[in-house]
Amino acid sequence: LSPVCLGSLRRAASINAEYMGIVGYGATELFAAVMYAFSRKAMEEQTTYQVFSEPPCYQNFPEFVEFGNIDTEYPLVWNISLWGNVEAEAENVIQIVNSPNNPDGSIRRPILSDRSHVVCDIVNNWPYHALPVEQYDCDIMMFSLSKIGNAGFRFGWALIKDPVMHQHMLHFVDALTQGISAGLQAWAITMIQDYLDTEGDIFNWTRA
């Protein structure tokens, strides 16, 4: 990930420099990388993590969780029944916050007080989906350019606070696709910079 690209991604998300970045071919690849990183974390801690999201939720979340599993002794376990039955201080629990939510478009918020165990999937958090655009403060946040009228532009990025989780995700993406080309990053920088320079004027057209 080029420093110029990382700077643009941070500015687009109104995020400061404490976040590290990683790019992938859409947020789908990055979501799998997040689950892989949590699976590595579960192995290191020798514990099992349960994963949930508020229903209704994206139908492929359980598959992403399963895909990221690398250990049968300390697996990640999808358990949607935790919604409404989990305390904010719960341990060994991971919450997926998809906002605006797919499929119903509702605005979602974390309920876990430990933000390091909250994954914010905010690929739809652009002005044509939500006004005003919501601000999130999660340790892992995922974004995508394909949701601003560029459906074929498979460029996603994640911003991560924990350096260990960041390294695990880098390992996954590098092993899977060897990362994003410099050319694609350059196109992404151009699009994001235009969005910033024009204060999101493109969304006046998409809303119309």
Side-chain angles (χ1 to χ4, degrees), residues 7-207:
S8 295
L9 300 181
R10 284 173 175 157
R11 288 194 298 275
S14 301
I15 295 297
N16 59 37
E18 67 180 323
Y19 283 85
M20 292 156 285
I22 181 172
V23 293
Y25 287 104
T28 299
E29 179 182 16
L30 297 175
F31 202 103
V34 170
M35 293 298 107
Y36 168 82
F38 272 118
S39 186
R40 290 284 299 269
K41 181 180 175 72
M43 288 177 57
E44 293 161 2
E45 297 176 352
Q46 296 188 343
T47 189
T48 295
Y49 279 91
Q50 296 190 76
V51 187
F52 76 98
S53 186
E54 178 182 351
C57 62
Y58 183 50
Q59 61 183 2
N60 288 340
F61 281 163
E63 295 180 11
F64 292 157
V65 172
E66 182 62 29
F67 184 71
N69 264 323
I70 58 174
D71 187 75
T72 56
E73 186 174 2
Y74 303 106
L76 305 180
V77 179
W78 174 257
N79 185 2
I80 199 169
S81 67
L82 284 177
W83 172 252
N85 299 296
V86 64
E87 300 292 332
E89 294 76 21
E91 298 180 355
N92 303 332
V93 173
I94 300 166
Q95 181 186 5
I96 301 170
V97 177
N98 181 210
S99 186
N101 184 57
N102 180 355
D104 64 1
S106 62
I107 301 301
R108 300 286 176 84
R109 286 290 179 183
I111 63 171
L112 297 181
S113 56
D114 184 356
R115 288 298 192 263
S116 67
H117 287 175
V118 176
V119 179
C120 281
D121 176 5
I122 45 181
V123 298
N124 292 315
N125 194 34
W126 294 95
Y128 73 96
H129 276 305
L131 283 174
V133 173
E134 298 289 318
Q135 293 296 313
Y136 290 86
D137 182 26
C138 304
D139 285 12
I140 301 173
M141 294 183 285
M142 293 183 295
F143 308 83
S144 174
L145 280 182
S146 66
K147 301 299 188 292
I148 59 170
N150 298 279
F153 198 80
R154 302 301 299 165
F155 185 91
W157 71 96
L159 297 173
I160 309 105
K161 277 188 178 179
D162 184 348
V164 176
M165 291 288 287
H166 179 248
Q167 284 300 313
H168 288 333
M169 290 178 65
L170 281 176
H171 178 264
F172 179 91
V173 170
D174 185 60
L176 192 66
T177 58
Q178 298 185 341
I180 292 286
S181 69
L184 186 53
Q185 290 187 48
W187 274 108
I189 292 170
T190 301
M191 295 175 65
I192 293 170
Q193 197 58 53
D194 179 76
Y195 162 73
L196 294 171
D197 291 344
T198 62
E199 299 182 347
D201 182 62
I202 185 177
F203 296 109
N204 294 325
W205 297 92
T206 56
R207 285 195 300 271

